[in-house]
Amino acid sequence: MLGLPLFLAARYRLVFPSRRLLFCAVLPASFSILMLLLPMAGWLVLALDVLLWIVAAADFATVLSARHFSATRNTLRIASLAKSQAVELELTNRSGRECWLSVKDDLPNSFEAEPDRFTVFVAGVDRLRFHYRYTPTQRGQHELQVVHLRVSSWLGLWRGFFKIPCPSTIHVYPDMKQISEYDLLAKTNRLSLMGLRRTRKIGQDNEFERLRDYTPDDNYKRIDWRTTARRRKLTVRDFQSNQSQRIIFMVDCGRMMTGTANGSSLLDYSLNAMLMLSYVALKQGDSVGMISFSNSIHNFTPARPGVKQINRLLHASFNQQPRHVESRYDEAFLYLGSHCRKRSLVILVTNLIDEINAHQIRQYLATLTGQHLPLCVLLRDREIFTAVDEVNFDDRDSLYQAAAAVEVLTWRQQVIRDLKHQGILALDVFPEKLTAAVVNQYLEIKARHLL
């Protein structure tokens, strides 16, 4: 009963007993066994209880409260997915007392920190700086509101758990490393290392594209004599047809894109491919736009030319997350029809699960064939293909799974054939190979002048 007010006050101040105090409380209880042999031992037990209560109360008063601390966080507002980022925490103890404390930042569960907490001794009226690095594993806007503190009392019998306000906002964008790799490989004519094929039709007297070594089939009029003299090697000029075209991405953010592959969602792969193709198209003078949707329209970025458009697409897509809702293709295509009237390459990135979903995709893409050039990009489920490729003929369950997988794949191929018969371009690829497949398809469309 003597400790009840103390424990109530502790709970009100967010201060709780430590294991050390609980261990000390067991000692008087163990001495109470002596009361069975010596009745006078009850006074000893009572004295120990009173002494423990006095010591605990005195130690409780040494716990610093949250008002004695302040914190600031210094870090970049923008981070890249799966890329390490440095953070500096500055903690100030405004009281004149010293203590042991543990510091942990308010990072989301999708962030990995190294180290994730600090245990230090802070002197009175002192300022400490902590440095750590975090690695985000999920795109989007993340709010860091507080810094968590665990403050120990002088004897270590009590611990206070406080939240020090320290608001920060971090925007995690997709990793743009693939764009820099594309630029490097394009300059050295090694795009094949990324799985890209050069299928564009070279123009006659249009926009200059590159210099390359002379081959016997080249027209001698294209020889660049100045470069040839400088290199001491025959060098010719290549030209490409200058055709400004429009590309509209329709990115499905509904339940079809909630699946994962290698730890990343299907939507992550779709956005990475969209950004890569956008960069390639914008470098060639085309205009690129985007519509993201699920059960409603999430965002619309009008098609514009220029490399700066990649920043608009990046800001519009970085916070899009897959949702467990049914996608409204009718609203998405109605929105497309009212906002994109000029002929465009419309790229729908989605997945196929059931016949209802496939019927809607066929129906609405078919309505575009007269005005636009539709391209349906479907993402494969590797587990279905694995069930067919790695079937165990001695295992009955494995045979049943393989038979079901074959039925699904046969139905899927029939849907793709129906799309192509209606004049709709279709790609069926694994998520890991999506970027190269989409860019190659775009280059083939440019070469064949399908728009």
Side-chain angles (χ1 to χ4, degrees):
M1 294 298 294
L2 292 175
L4 182 59
L6 188 60
F7 278 92
L8 292 177
R11 187 171 181 83
Y12 176 74
R13 290 187 56 190
L14 297 178
V15 180
F16 300 90
S18 66
R19 294 181 180 180
R20 185 177 300 179
L21 178 57
L22 297 178
F23 177 77
C24 294
V26 173
L27 292 179
S30 61
F31 278 105
S32 63
I33 301 177
L34 295 176
M35 296 175 59
L36 299 176
L37 303 176
L38 300 173
M40 298 298 295
W43 292 101
L44 177 61
V45 175
L46 180 60
L48 291 175
D49 284 337
V50 173
L51 178 62
L52 178 61
W53 187 87
I54 294 174
V55 172
D59 193 49
F60 178 79
T62 64
V63 181
L64 300 179
S65 62
R67 60 185 176 85
H68 293 125
F69 298 94
S70 62
T72 58
R73 183 187 299 106
N74 296 319
T75 186
L76 295 178
R77 188 170 180 265
I78 296 176
S80 295
L81 187 66
K83 295 299 179 182
S84 179
Q85 184 83 307
V87 181
E88 180 187 75
L89 282 178
E90 185 176 285
L91 183 68
T92 303
N93 178 15
R94 296 194 295 264
S95 71
R97 291 179 289 174
E98 56 190 22
C99 66
W100 281 94
L101 55 84
S102 179
V103 183
K104 187 178 187 301
D105 206 356
D106 183 31
L107 291 177
N109 294 331
S110 59
F111 283 40
E112 300 175 356
E114 181 60 36
D116 62 343
R117 67 179 70 239
F118 303 89
T119 301
V120 295
F121 181 81
V122 57
V125 193
D126 194 9
R127 179 178 299 171
L128 298 177
R129 288 184 174 88
F130 308 95
H131 297 85
Y132 72 93
R133 303 187 71 87
Y134 70 84
T135 303
T137 58
Q138 183 179 5
R139 293 176 296 98
Q141 177 176 314
H142 302 275
E143 302 290 341
L144 282 62
Q145 299 293 345
V146 298
V147 173
H148 298 275
L149 291 185
R150 187 183 65 190
V151 183
S152 299
S153 61
W154 187 62
L155 295 178
L157 301 180
W158 301 92
R159 288 180 176 177
F161 296 87
F162 308 123
K163 297 179 180 179
I164 309 302
C166 186
S168 298
T169 301
I170 297 178
H171 291 173
V172 179
Y173 291 89
D175 183 18
M176 303 303 291
K177 183 180 179 180
Q178 59 178 353
I179 290 182
S180 60
E181 291 178 350
Y182 172 84
D183 277 338
L184 178 62
L185 295 177
K187 292 177 181 179
T188 57
N189 197 23
R190 294 184 297 167
L191 287 175
S192 59
L193 298 179
M194 295 184 65
L196 304 184
R197 302 187 304 268
R198 299 190 62 87
T199 56
R200 284 178 295 178
K201 182 179 180 180
I202 304 300
Q204 291 296 323
D205 293 309
N206 292 323
E207 184 180 354
F208 171 76
E209 182 184 24
R210 61 170 178 162
L211 293 171
R212 61 173 176 83
D213 294 340
Y214 173 84
T215 60
D217 295 333
D218 290 328
N219 191 331
Y220 69 91
K221 294 182 179 180
R222 293 185 180 178
I223 298 178
D224 189 316
W225 294 108
R226 289 186 178 181
T227 306
T228 298
R230 184 172 63 252
R231 297 180 63 208
R232 297 184 178 181
K233 189 176 183 180
L234 284 176
T235 306
V236 297
R237 291 185 177 185
D238 269 347
F239 298 87
Q240 63 179 1
S241 299
N242 187 13
Q243 295 180 347
S244 179
Q245 299 169 344
R246 296 165 58 90
I247 302 175
I248 303 295
F249 288 93
M250 298 185 68
V251 181
D252 185 1
C253 301
R255 68 182 181 93
M256 303 298 174
M257 307 298 285
T258 56
T260 59
N262 296 330
S264 299
S265 68
L266 299 183
L267 183 57
D268 286 332
Y269 286 104
S270 301
L271 294 178
N272 289 340
M274 182 270 294
L275 292 172
M276 185 63 191
L277 177 54
S278 299
Y279 183 78
V280 174
L282 292 170
K283 291 283 285 186
Q284 299 194 35
D286 291 344
S287 301
V288 183
M290 182 190 71
I291 299 175
S292 58
F293 67 97
S294 60
N295 58 340
S296 61
I297 303 299
H298 297 179
N299 180 273
F300 171 62
T301 305
R304 295 178 182 176
V307 180
K308 291 184 178 180
Q309 178 71 353
I310 196 70
N311 292 328
R312 302 186 186 98
L313 295 172
L314 190 61
H315 286 292
S317 61
F318 86 98
N319 203 24
Q320 299 297 331
Q321 303 295 340
R323 306 183 184 183
H324 292 274
V325 295
E326 193 70 33
S327 297
R328 292 291 303 272
Y329 294 98
D330 53 346
E331 291 187 6
F333 282 91
L334 182 63
Y335 193 90
L336 173 70
S338 60
H339 290 78
C340 306
R341 299 185 180 277
K342 294 183 178 179
R343 179 171 175 81
S344 308
L345 171 62
V346 178
I347 304 177
L348 173 64
V349 185
T350 185
N351 195 9
L352 285 179
I353 296 180
D354 50 46
E355 184 61 41
I356 297 177
N357 171 247
H359 175 72
Q360 293 184 13
I361 292 176
R362 286 196 301 261
Q363 177 183 356
Y364 292 110
L365 283 178
T367 60
L368 300 180
T369 54
Q371 182 180 1
H372 302 285
L373 177 62
L375 169 61
C376 182
V377 181
L378 304 177
L379 301 180
R380 292 178 175 179
D381 188 347
R382 187 170 291 276
E383 292 183 0
I384 298 179
F385 286 83
T386 302
V388 177
D389 297 335
E390 300 179 2
V391 58
N392 184 4
F393 293 96
D394 297 328
D395 186 1
R396 180 177 299 179
D397 293 338
S398 179
L399 289 175
Y400 289 152
Q401 293 176 1
V406 169
E407 184 177 356
V408 172
L409 295 179
T410 302
W411 165 78
R412 187 183 182 94
Q413 290 300 318
Q414 182 60 46
V415 172
I416 294 176
R417 284 194 295 268
D418 293 342
L419 290 173
K420 293 181 178 180
H421 289 164
Q422 292 178 312
I424 302 168
L425 301 178
L427 283 178
D428 184 27
V429 296
F430 291 109
E432 301 86 352
K433 301 180 179 180
L434 175 61
T435 299
V438 172
V439 174
N440 285 330
Q441 183 68 44
Y442 162 76
L443 297 178
E444 183 178 350
I445 292 173
K446 294 280 288 184
R448 296 170 57 188
H449 303 287
L450 297 180
L451 279 176

